[in-house]
Amino acid sequence: MIFEATMPGVIQIRTEIPGPKSRALLARRAAAVPRGVPAVTPIAVAHAEGAVVTDADGNRLIDFGGGIGVVNTGHRHPGVVEAVRAQLDRFAHVCFPVSTYEPYVELAERLNRLTPGTHDKRTFLVNSGAEAVENAVKVARAFTGRSAIVCFEHGFHGRTNLAMALTSKVMPYKKGFGPFAPEVYRIPYPYCYRCERAPLPAGRCCMADRDHLERLFAATVDPESVAAIVMELELGEGGFVPAPAEYVQMLAAFAREHGILFVADEIQTGFGRTGTMFACEHYGLTPDIITTAKSLAGGLPLAAVTGRADVMEAAQPGGLGGTYGGNPLACSAALAVLDAMERERIPERARWAGERVGAQFRRWAESTWCIGDVRGLGAMIGMELVADPVSRAPDKELTGRLLAGALRRGLILLSAGTYGNVIRVLAPLTTEDAVLDEGLAVMGEALMEAVAGSRQRL
Ligand SMILES: Cc1ncc(COP(=O)(O)O)c(C=O)c1O
Protein backbone atom coordinates (compact mmCIF):
# COMPACT_ATOMS: atom_id res chain seq x y z
CA MET A 1 0.00 0.00 0.00
CA ILE A 2 1.32 3.47 -0.89
CA PHE A 3 0.50 6.18 1.65
CA GLU A 4 -0.38 9.65 0.40
CA ALA A 5 1.04 12.38 2.65
CA THR A 6 -1.91 14.12 4.33
CA MET A 7 -0.25 17.52 4.04
CA PRO A 8 2.49 18.97 1.88
CA GLY A 9 5.88 18.60 3.53
CA VAL A 10 9.23 16.99 3.07
CA ILE A 11 7.95 13.41 3.03
CA GLN A 12 7.52 12.08 -0.50
CA ILE A 13 6.32 8.54 -0.99
CA ARG A 14 6.78 7.20 -4.53
CA THR A 15 6.59 3.45 -3.95
CA GLU A 16 5.43 1.19 -1.19
CA ILE A 17 8.04 1.02 1.57
CA PRO A 18 10.27 -0.88 1.15
CA GLY A 19 10.29 -0.29 -2.61
CA PRO A 20 11.72 -2.68 -5.22
CA LYS A 21 15.28 -1.33 -5.06
CA SER A 22 15.37 -1.48 -1.26
CA ARG A 23 13.98 -5.01 -1.34
CA ALA A 24 16.60 -6.08 -3.87
CA LEU A 25 19.48 -4.74 -1.75
CA LEU A 26 18.05 -6.31 1.39
CA ALA A 27 17.90 -9.66 -0.43
CA ARG A 28 21.58 -9.32 -1.36
CA ARG A 29 22.31 -8.30 2.23
CA ALA A 30 20.57 -11.40 3.59
CA ALA A 31 22.77 -13.59 1.38
CA ALA A 32 25.99 -11.78 2.30
CA VAL A 33 25.66 -10.49 5.89
CA PRO A 34 24.74 -12.62 8.95
CA ARG A 35 21.29 -12.05 10.46
CA GLY A 36 22.93 -11.19 13.80
CA VAL A 37 23.53 -7.68 12.44
CA PRO A 38 20.01 -6.27 12.74
CA ALA A 39 18.09 -4.50 9.97
CA VAL A 40 15.78 -2.31 12.02
CA THR A 41 14.16 -0.84 8.90
CA PRO A 42 13.93 -2.58 5.51
CA ILE A 43 15.05 0.44 3.49
CA ALA A 44 18.24 1.04 1.51
CA VAL A 45 19.54 4.59 1.76
CA ALA A 46 20.72 6.61 -1.22
CA HIS A 47 21.19 10.03 0.40
CA ALA A 48 20.71 11.82 3.73
CA GLU A 49 20.69 15.54 4.49
CA GLY A 50 19.65 17.26 7.72
CA ALA A 51 16.71 15.24 9.05
CA VAL A 52 15.71 13.80 5.66
CA VAL A 53 16.69 10.41 4.25
CA THR A 54 16.11 9.50 0.58
CA ASP A 55 15.90 5.80 -0.10
CA ALA A 56 17.04 3.86 -3.17
CA ASP A 57 13.52 4.09 -4.68
CA GLY A 58 13.43 7.88 -4.40
CA ASN A 59 11.15 7.99 -1.33
CA ARG A 60 11.89 10.89 1.02
CA LEU A 61 11.53 10.06 4.70
CA ILE A 62 11.91 12.04 7.92
CA ASP A 63 14.55 10.54 10.20
CA PHE A 64 13.61 10.47 13.90
CA GLY A 65 16.31 7.84 14.53
CA GLY A 66 19.34 9.93 13.58
CA GLY A 67 21.48 6.83 12.98
CA ILE A 68 20.74 5.90 16.64
CA GLY A 69 21.64 9.25 18.10
CA VAL A 70 24.71 9.88 15.97
CA VAL A 71 23.66 12.93 13.97
CA ASN A 72 22.56 15.47 16.57
CA THR A 73 23.96 18.06 14.13
CA GLY A 74 22.01 16.49 11.22
CA HIS A 75 23.11 14.33 8.30
CA ARG A 76 25.93 15.90 6.29
CA HIS A 77 26.24 19.04 8.37
CA PRO A 78 28.02 21.43 5.94
CA GLY A 79 30.77 22.21 8.48
CA VAL A 80 31.45 18.50 8.99
CA VAL A 81 31.50 17.76 5.25
CA GLU A 82 33.93 20.62 4.63
CA ALA A 83 36.23 19.66 7.52
CA VAL A 84 36.41 16.00 6.45
CA ARG A 85 37.09 16.94 2.82
CA ALA A 86 39.87 19.32 3.85
CA GLN A 87 41.48 16.71 6.11
CA LEU A 88 41.23 14.04 3.38
CA ASP A 89 43.24 16.34 1.13
CA ARG A 90 45.97 16.42 3.78
CA PHE A 91 46.14 12.78 5.04
CA ALA A 92 43.66 10.07 6.08
CA HIS A 93 45.76 7.98 8.47
CA VAL A 94 49.18 7.81 10.03
CA CYS A 95 48.25 6.11 13.36
CA PHE A 96 48.32 8.44 16.37
CA PRO A 97 50.54 6.16 18.48
CA VAL A 98 53.11 6.42 15.63
CA SER A 99 52.91 10.11 14.62
CA THR A 100 51.12 13.00 16.33
CA TYR A 101 48.65 15.23 14.46
CA GLU A 102 46.87 18.37 15.52
CA PRO A 103 43.16 17.47 15.10
CA TYR A 104 43.54 14.71 17.73
CA VAL A 105 45.36 16.95 20.20
CA GLU A 106 42.96 19.86 19.63
CA LEU A 107 39.94 17.59 20.13
CA ALA A 108 41.42 16.23 23.38
CA GLU A 109 42.00 19.81 24.57
CA ARG A 110 38.45 20.82 23.71
CA LEU A 111 36.85 17.79 25.36
CA ASN A 112 38.96 18.40 28.47
CA ARG A 113 37.56 21.95 28.62
CA LEU A 114 33.98 21.09 27.64
CA THR A 115 33.25 18.10 29.89
CA PRO A 116 32.01 18.82 33.44
CA GLY A 117 34.56 20.09 35.98
CA THR A 118 37.39 22.60 35.72
CA HIS A 119 40.03 20.19 37.08
CA ASP A 120 43.01 18.94 35.07
CA LYS A 121 41.86 16.26 32.59
CA ARG A 122 43.13 13.97 29.85
CA THR A 123 41.31 12.48 26.85
CA PHE A 124 42.15 9.62 24.51
CA LEU A 125 40.21 8.50 21.46
CA VAL A 126 38.93 5.12 20.30
CA ASN A 127 36.55 3.86 17.61
CA SER A 128 33.24 2.94 19.23
CA GLY A 129 31.16 3.37 22.33
CA ALA A 130 31.85 -0.17 23.53
CA GLU A 131 35.58 0.42 23.19
CA ALA A 132 35.30 3.66 25.19
CA VAL A 133 33.49 1.89 28.04
CA GLU A 134 36.03 -0.98 28.05
CA ASN A 135 38.86 1.53 28.23
CA ALA A 136 37.21 3.52 31.03
CA VAL A 137 37.13 0.30 33.04
CA LYS A 138 40.78 -0.46 32.23
CA VAL A 139 41.84 2.97 33.43
CA ALA A 140 39.68 2.79 36.57
CA ARG A 141 41.19 -0.58 37.47
CA ALA A 142 44.74 0.64 36.83
CA PHE A 143 44.19 3.70 39.04
CA THR A 144 42.39 2.06 41.96
CA GLY A 145 44.12 -1.33 41.91
CA ARG A 146 40.62 -2.80 42.40
CA SER A 147 38.79 -5.14 40.04
CA ALA A 148 35.02 -5.00 40.70
CA ILE A 149 32.72 -2.89 38.53
CA VAL A 150 29.16 -1.96 39.46
CA CYS A 151 26.61 -1.43 36.69
CA PHE A 152 22.82 -1.26 36.41
CA GLU A 153 19.81 -3.30 35.46
CA HIS A 154 18.45 -2.04 32.10
CA GLY A 155 21.87 -0.60 31.22
CA PHE A 156 23.43 -0.89 27.76
CA HIS A 157 27.13 -0.35 27.11
CA GLY A 158 27.90 -2.21 23.86
CA ARG A 159 28.62 -5.57 22.31
CA THR A 160 32.26 -6.39 23.14
CA ASN A 161 32.85 -8.93 25.91
CA LEU A 162 33.20 -6.61 28.90
CA ALA A 163 30.57 -4.20 27.52
CA MET A 164 28.20 -7.17 27.14
CA ALA A 165 28.88 -8.14 30.74
CA LEU A 166 27.93 -4.61 31.80
CA THR A 167 24.80 -4.70 29.62
CA SER A 168 21.57 -5.89 31.14
CA LYS A 169 19.31 -6.88 28.24
CA VAL A 170 19.71 -10.60 27.54
CA MET A 171 17.89 -10.76 24.19
CA PRO A 172 19.44 -10.05 21.78
CA TYR A 173 22.66 -8.75 23.32
CA LYS A 174 23.84 -11.62 25.56
CA LYS A 175 21.98 -14.83 24.80
CA GLY A 176 24.46 -17.52 23.77
CA PHE A 177 27.50 -15.23 23.95
CA GLY A 178 28.89 -16.04 27.41
CA PRO A 179 30.99 -16.54 29.42
CA PHE A 180 31.15 -12.88 30.26
CA ALA A 181 33.90 -10.85 31.91
CA PRO A 182 34.01 -11.48 35.67
CA GLU A 183 33.83 -9.02 38.59
CA VAL A 184 30.75 -7.23 37.24
CA TYR A 185 27.97 -6.54 39.77
CA ARG A 186 24.53 -5.24 38.80
CA ILE A 187 22.24 -3.14 40.96
CA PRO A 188 18.69 -1.88 40.26
CA TYR A 189 18.31 1.27 38.16
CA PRO A 190 16.02 3.92 39.64
CA TYR A 191 13.30 3.25 37.04
CA CYS A 192 10.40 5.00 38.75
CA TYR A 193 7.62 3.82 36.41
CA ARG A 194 8.50 0.19 37.13
CA CYS A 195 9.64 0.62 40.74
CA GLU A 196 8.51 -2.13 43.06
CA ARG A 197 9.21 -0.24 46.27
CA ALA A 198 6.66 2.02 47.96
CA PRO A 199 5.98 4.95 45.61
CA LEU A 200 6.88 8.44 46.79
CA PRO A 201 5.41 11.74 45.54
CA ALA A 202 6.40 12.72 41.99
CA GLY A 203 10.00 13.88 41.71
CA ARG A 204 11.15 11.95 44.82
CA CYS A 205 13.08 8.68 44.59
CA CYS A 206 12.52 5.85 47.06
CA MET A 207 15.93 4.42 46.15
CA ALA A 208 17.73 7.62 47.16
CA ASP A 209 18.09 6.18 50.60
CA ARG A 210 21.52 5.66 52.09
CA ASP A 211 20.49 2.60 54.15
CA HIS A 212 19.03 0.96 51.08
CA LEU A 213 22.30 1.46 49.19
CA GLU A 214 24.40 0.16 52.12
CA ARG A 215 22.21 -2.98 52.28
CA LEU A 216 22.41 -3.42 48.52
CA PHE A 217 26.21 -3.35 48.54
CA ALA A 218 26.34 -5.55 51.65
CA ALA A 219 24.46 -8.19 49.68
CA THR A 220 26.30 -7.67 46.40
CA VAL A 221 29.94 -6.59 46.62
CA ASP A 222 32.38 -5.04 49.09
CA PRO A 223 32.54 -1.32 48.16
CA GLU A 224 36.26 -1.31 49.02
CA SER A 225 36.90 -3.73 46.13
CA VAL A 226 34.95 -1.67 43.57
CA ALA A 227 36.98 0.28 41.01
CA ALA A 228 34.06 2.07 39.35
CA ILE A 229 30.34 2.52 39.03
CA VAL A 230 29.36 2.79 35.36
CA MET A 231 26.06 4.58 34.84
CA GLU A 232 23.90 6.07 32.09
CA LEU A 233 22.21 9.08 33.68
CA GLU A 234 19.32 8.54 31.29
CA LEU A 235 19.04 4.97 30.03
CA GLY A 236 19.32 4.91 26.23
CA GLU A 237 18.77 1.41 24.91
CA GLY A 238 17.11 0.58 28.26
CA GLY A 239 14.14 2.83 27.47
CA PHE A 240 14.89 6.54 27.93
CA VAL A 241 14.62 6.51 31.73
CA PRO A 242 16.28 9.48 33.45
CA ALA A 243 17.64 8.76 36.92
CA PRO A 244 16.21 11.02 39.65
CA ALA A 245 18.70 13.70 40.72
CA GLU A 246 18.58 12.80 44.42
CA TYR A 247 19.53 9.20 43.61
CA VAL A 248 22.51 10.21 41.48
CA GLN A 249 23.73 12.68 44.08
CA MET A 250 23.49 10.08 46.85
CA LEU A 251 25.25 7.45 44.74
CA ALA A 252 28.04 9.87 43.80
CA ALA A 253 28.58 10.71 47.49
CA PHE A 254 28.66 7.00 48.39
CA ALA A 255 31.20 6.35 45.62
CA ARG A 256 33.41 9.23 46.79
CA GLU A 257 33.40 7.99 50.39
CA HIS A 258 34.49 4.52 49.31
CA GLY A 259 37.14 5.59 46.78
CA ILE A 260 34.99 4.29 43.90
CA LEU A 261 35.29 6.15 40.58
CA PHE A 262 32.09 7.40 38.92
CA VAL A 263 32.05 6.68 35.18
CA ALA A 264 29.26 8.53 33.37
CA ASP A 265 28.45 6.76 30.10
CA GLU A 266 27.28 9.72 27.99
CA ILE A 267 27.53 7.90 24.68
CA GLN A 268 23.84 8.42 23.93
CA THR A 269 23.07 11.36 26.24
CA GLY A 270 26.00 13.53 25.13
CA PHE A 271 26.41 16.49 22.81
CA GLY A 272 23.23 18.41 23.41
CA ARG A 273 20.71 15.58 23.36
CA THR A 274 19.39 16.22 26.87
CA GLY A 275 19.27 20.01 26.49
CA THR A 276 22.71 20.53 28.01
CA MET A 277 26.01 19.55 26.45
CA PHE A 278 26.16 16.54 28.81
CA ALA A 279 23.48 14.95 30.99
CA CYS A 280 25.81 15.30 34.02
CA GLU A 281 24.97 19.00 34.01
CA HIS A 282 21.36 18.24 35.01
CA TYR A 283 22.70 16.58 38.16
CA GLY A 284 25.53 18.93 39.13
CA LEU A 285 27.68 15.81 38.71
CA THR A 286 31.40 15.94 37.96
CA PRO A 287 32.25 12.35 36.99
CA ASP A 288 35.77 10.99 37.37
CA ILE A 289 35.57 9.59 33.84
CA ILE A 290 33.10 10.33 31.05
CA THR A 291 32.69 8.22 27.91
CA THR A 292 31.36 9.80 24.72
CA ALA A 293 30.81 8.63 21.14
CA LYS A 294 27.81 8.73 18.75
CA SER A 295 27.15 12.44 18.00
CA LEU A 296 30.73 13.39 18.81
CA ALA A 297 31.80 13.18 15.16
CA GLY A 298 28.55 13.78 13.23
CA GLY A 299 28.52 10.36 11.55
CA LEU A 300 32.17 9.35 11.53
CA PRO A 301 33.23 6.57 13.90
CA LEU A 302 34.84 8.09 16.98
CA ALA A 303 34.63 7.74 20.76
CA ALA A 304 36.41 9.39 23.64
CA VAL A 305 37.42 8.64 27.21
CA THR A 306 37.89 11.82 29.24
CA GLY A 307 38.81 11.87 32.90
CA ARG A 308 40.73 13.26 35.84
CA ALA A 309 44.39 13.62 34.88
CA ASP A 310 45.64 11.58 37.86
CA VAL A 311 43.24 8.73 37.00
CA MET A 312 43.96 8.77 33.28
CA GLU A 313 47.73 8.82 33.76
CA ALA A 314 47.58 5.54 35.72
CA ALA A 315 47.80 3.36 32.60
CA GLN A 316 51.33 2.64 31.41
CA PRO A 317 52.59 3.87 27.99
CA GLY A 318 51.35 1.49 25.29
CA GLY A 319 48.45 0.29 27.46
CA LEU A 320 45.91 2.51 25.71
CA GLY A 321 45.13 3.37 22.08
CA GLY A 322 44.95 1.33 18.89
CA THR A 323 45.55 1.46 15.14
CA TYR A 324 42.58 3.60 14.16
CA GLY A 325 41.60 5.36 17.43
CA GLY A 326 41.31 9.10 16.78
CA ASN A 327 41.41 8.80 13.01
CA PRO A 328 42.18 12.28 11.60
CA LEU A 329 39.04 12.43 9.42
CA ALA A 330 36.88 11.62 12.45
CA CYS A 331 38.75 14.15 14.66
CA SER A 332 38.27 16.89 12.06
CA ALA A 333 34.57 16.02 11.87
CA ALA A 334 34.32 16.20 15.67
CA LEU A 335 35.95 19.64 15.79
CA ALA A 336 33.36 20.83 13.26
CA VAL A 337 30.58 19.28 15.36
CA LEU A 338 31.77 21.13 18.47
CA ASP A 339 31.88 24.41 16.49
CA ALA A 340 28.32 23.80 15.27
CA MET A 341 27.13 22.93 18.80
CA GLU A 342 28.31 26.34 19.99
CA ARG A 343 27.48 28.46 16.96
CA GLU A 344 24.01 27.00 16.42
CA ARG A 345 23.26 26.71 20.16
CA ILE A 346 22.24 23.10 19.72
CA PRO A 347 21.63 22.23 23.40
CA GLU A 348 19.21 25.16 23.63
CA ARG A 349 17.48 23.98 20.50
CA ALA A 350 17.20 20.50 22.11
CA ARG A 351 15.35 21.94 25.10
CA TRP A 352 12.85 23.60 22.82
CA ALA A 353 12.37 20.51 20.61
CA GLY A 354 12.02 18.33 23.72
CA GLU A 355 9.24 20.51 25.10
CA ARG A 356 7.39 20.30 21.79
CA VAL A 357 7.74 16.52 21.48
CA GLY A 358 7.00 15.92 25.19
CA ALA A 359 3.87 18.10 25.05
CA GLN A 360 2.59 16.14 22.05
CA PHE A 361 3.31 12.79 23.73
CA ARG A 362 1.45 13.93 26.85
CA ARG A 363 -1.56 15.00 24.76
CA TRP A 364 -1.65 11.54 23.21
CA ALA A 365 -1.29 9.97 26.65
CA GLU A 366 -4.43 11.82 27.77
CA SER A 367 -6.46 10.48 24.85
CA THR A 368 -5.13 6.90 24.57
CA TRP A 369 -4.90 4.24 27.26
CA CYS A 370 -1.75 2.64 25.90
CA ILE A 371 0.82 5.30 26.84
CA GLY A 372 1.90 4.43 30.36
CA ASP A 373 4.69 6.97 30.76
CA VAL A 374 6.20 9.97 28.97
CA ARG A 375 9.65 10.98 30.17
CA GLY A 376 13.12 12.23 29.39
CA LEU A 377 15.59 15.09 29.64
CA GLY A 378 15.66 17.75 26.91
CA ALA A 379 15.11 16.14 23.51
CA MET A 380 15.82 12.62 24.81
CA ILE A 381 12.10 11.91 25.10
CA GLY A 382 10.43 8.52 25.13
CA MET A 383 6.98 7.09 25.69
CA GLU A 384 6.37 3.67 27.17
CA LEU A 385 3.54 1.63 25.62
CA VAL A 386 1.56 -0.77 27.78
CA ALA A 387 -1.20 -3.30 27.14
CA ASP A 388 -2.95 -2.27 30.33
CA PRO A 389 -2.35 0.92 32.34
CA VAL A 390 -3.04 -0.84 35.66
CA SER A 391 -0.77 -3.88 35.33
CA ARG A 392 1.67 -1.84 33.17
CA ALA A 393 2.29 -4.95 31.04
CA PRO A 394 4.71 -3.87 28.27
CA ASP A 395 3.17 -3.91 24.77
CA LYS A 396 5.96 -4.76 22.36
CA GLU A 397 3.52 -5.75 19.62
CA LEU A 398 1.76 -2.39 19.66
CA THR A 399 5.18 -0.70 19.59
CA GLY A 400 6.14 -2.75 16.52
CA ARG A 401 2.89 -1.83 14.74
CA LEU A 402 3.44 1.85 15.49
CA LEU A 403 6.98 1.72 14.09
CA ALA A 404 5.83 -0.13 10.96
CA GLY A 405 2.93 2.30 10.42
CA ALA A 406 5.25 5.28 10.81
CA LEU A 407 7.71 3.85 8.29
CA ARG A 408 4.99 3.15 5.71
CA ARG A 409 4.04 6.82 6.01
CA GLY A 410 7.65 8.02 5.65
CA LEU A 411 8.94 8.35 9.22
CA ILE A 412 11.95 6.44 10.54
CA LEU A 413 11.32 5.81 14.22
CA LEU A 414 13.11 3.61 16.76
CA SER A 415 12.08 1.67 19.82
CA ALA A 416 14.05 0.97 23.00
CA GLY A 417 13.56 -0.64 26.39
CA THR A 418 14.36 -3.96 28.00
CA TYR A 419 10.85 -5.07 26.99
CA GLY A 420 10.98 -3.41 23.54
CA ASN A 421 7.98 -1.18 24.31
CA VAL A 422 9.41 2.35 24.39
CA ILE A 423 9.25 4.76 21.47
CA ARG A 424 12.33 6.98 21.51
CA VAL A 425 12.96 10.15 19.55
CA LEU A 426 16.52 10.75 18.38
CA ALA A 427 15.77 13.23 15.60
CA PRO A 428 18.68 15.51 14.65
CA LEU A 429 18.63 18.52 16.97
CA THR A 430 18.90 20.72 13.90
CA THR A 431 15.52 19.50 12.56
CA GLU A 432 13.47 22.48 11.35
CA ASP A 433 10.23 23.18 13.27
CA ALA A 434 8.00 22.32 10.32
CA VAL A 435 9.80 19.01 9.77
CA LEU A 436 9.56 18.13 13.47
CA ASP A 437 5.82 18.85 13.38
CA GLU A 438 5.40 16.85 10.18
CA GLY A 439 7.15 13.89 11.79
CA LEU A 440 4.98 14.17 14.90
CA ALA A 441 1.81 14.33 12.78
CA VAL A 442 2.83 11.13 11.01
CA MET A 443 3.63 9.50 14.34
CA GLY A 444 0.18 10.49 15.61
CA GLU A 445 -1.54 8.84 12.60
CA ALA A 446 0.54 5.69 13.05
CA LEU A 447 -0.23 5.62 16.77
CA MET A 448 -3.99 5.89 16.21
CA GLU A 449 -3.83 3.14 13.59
CA ALA A 450 -1.78 0.89 15.90
CA VAL A 451 -4.16 1.49 18.82
CA ALA A 452 -7.17 0.73 16.59
CA GLY A 453 -5.42 -2.54 15.67
CA SER A 454 -5.11 -3.40 19.37
CA ARG A 455 -8.83 -2.80 19.92
CA GLN A 456 -9.65 -5.17 17.08
CA ARG A 457 -7.57 -7.87 18.70
CA LEU A 458 -9.44 -7.62 22.00
C1 LIG B 1 24.99 4.38 26.55
C2 LIG B 1 25.71 3.59 25.50
N1 LIG B 1 26.91 3.06 25.79
C3 LIG B 1 27.60 2.35 24.89
C4 LIG B 1 27.09 2.11 23.62
C5 LIG B 1 27.87 1.29 22.64
O1 LIG B 1 28.28 2.10 21.57
P1 LIG B 1 28.77 1.42 20.20
O2 LIG B 1 27.57 0.85 19.53
O3 LIG B 1 29.38 2.58 19.44
O4 LIG B 1 29.79 0.39 20.55
C6 LIG B 1 25.84 2.64 23.28
C7 LIG B 1 25.24 2.39 21.96
O5 LIG B 1 24.07 2.48 21.73
C8 LIG B 1 25.13 3.39 24.25
O6 LIG B 1 23.92 3.90 23.98
Side-chain angles (χ1 to χ4, degrees), residues 128-130 133 156-158 232 237 265 267-268 294:
S128 69
V133 173
F156 179 81
H157 301 283
E232 295 165 88
E237 204 56 38
D265 181 346
I267 286 162
Q268 196 156 156
K294 291 199 183 273

Side-chain angles (χ1 to χ4, degrees), residues 222-295:
D222 171 17
E224 307 305 315
S225 70
V226 176
I229 295 172
V230 180
M231 184 174 193
E232 295 165 88
L233 296 167
E234 175 167 344
L235 293 172
E237 204 56 38
F240 278 30
V241 183
E246 57 180 334
Y247 177 82
V248 174
Q249 282 147 11
M250 186 212 55
L251 185 70
F254 178 86
R256 228 177 0 257
E257 280 163 39
H258 290 283
I260 301 171
L261 300 180
F262 198 112
V263 178
D265 181 346
E266 292 244 23
I267 286 162
Q268 196 156 156
T269 50
F271 302 104
R273 175 57 54 188
T274 68
T276 50
M277 194 57 115
F278 299 103
C280 284
E281 294 162 47
H282 290 275
Y283 297 88
L285 175 73
T286 304
D288 300 294
I289 300 177
I290 176 168
T291 54
T292 54
K294 291 199 183 273
S295 276

